[in-house]
Amino acid sequence: MTKGSDPFGVTSFLAENNIAGVRGNHDQKIIQWRAWVDEDMAQPGGQEWLERREDDSKFEVNPPKDRTTESWKLIPKGWKFKGPHYEIARKLSRVQYDYLRSLPLVLHIPSLHAFVVHA
């Protein structure tokens, strides 16, 4: 979903037309970020905390090596805050997010004796 000129339009089209697909590695990162954001915003003060970090130009995309600041301790290790996966996750509609979550890792097509996976 991080590729192409209109990832939101494509995802909306696929979801609205119930088109089968498989989950890719970028889809998974977006799903993880969205779940993290939803969980964070559900916590008392979570929405305000998140909005402050998003507005803070000094809060960099990549964490400092020591990850000692309290804010960075809340972000999973290896994740890029405000990176492309995060930005897409924040802009997804509920329908788009649910569609991505519904994508299987493997799609079996018995009539073709085939399996479809993301590669």
Side-chain angles (χ1 to χ4, degrees):
M1 184 160 176
T2 57
K3 316 259 182 193
S5 60
D6 186 16
F8 297 101
V10 170
T11 304
S12 289
F13 176 81
L14 295 171
E16 290 165 9
N17 292 285
N18 200 27
I19 296 175
V22 294
R23 187 182 300 185
N25 56 318
H26 291 279
D27 301 325
Q28 183 62 33
K29 289 179 182 181
I30 291 165
I31 290 166
Q32 289 173 305
W33 266 119
R34 177 59 178 263
W36 182 88
V37 166
D38 287 352
E39 176 66 22
D40 184 68
M41 290 181 62
Q43 302 302 314
Q47 183 171 350
E48 294 79 15
W49 179 90
L50 190 59
E51 289 172 355
R52 280 196 310 272
R53 297 308 166 282
E54 288 176 338
D55 292 341
D56 184 356
S57 62
K58 293 178 184 171
F59 197 79
E60 64 273 359
V61 173
N62 295 306
K65 295 234 186 262
D66 61 7
R67 295 180 62 90
T68 56
T69 62
E70 205 55 41
S71 293
W72 271 109
K73 289 179 182 179
L74 299 174
I75 298 171
K77 189 174 182 179
W79 291 23
K80 292 186 177 184
F81 185 71
K82 295 195 282 187
H85 297 107
Y86 176 84
E87 295 296 335
I88 291 172
R90 287 289 277 148
K91 294 175 185 171
L92 281 179
S93 71
R94 174 53 64 177
V95 170
Q96 293 166 332
Y97 175 56
D98 289 343
Y99 173 76
L100 286 181
R101 285 184 38 221
S102 76
L103 293 174
L105 298 177
V106 178
L107 188 61
H108 181 219
I109 307 173
S111 62
L112 297 176
H113 303 289
F115 291 92
V116 179
V117 297
H118 176 76

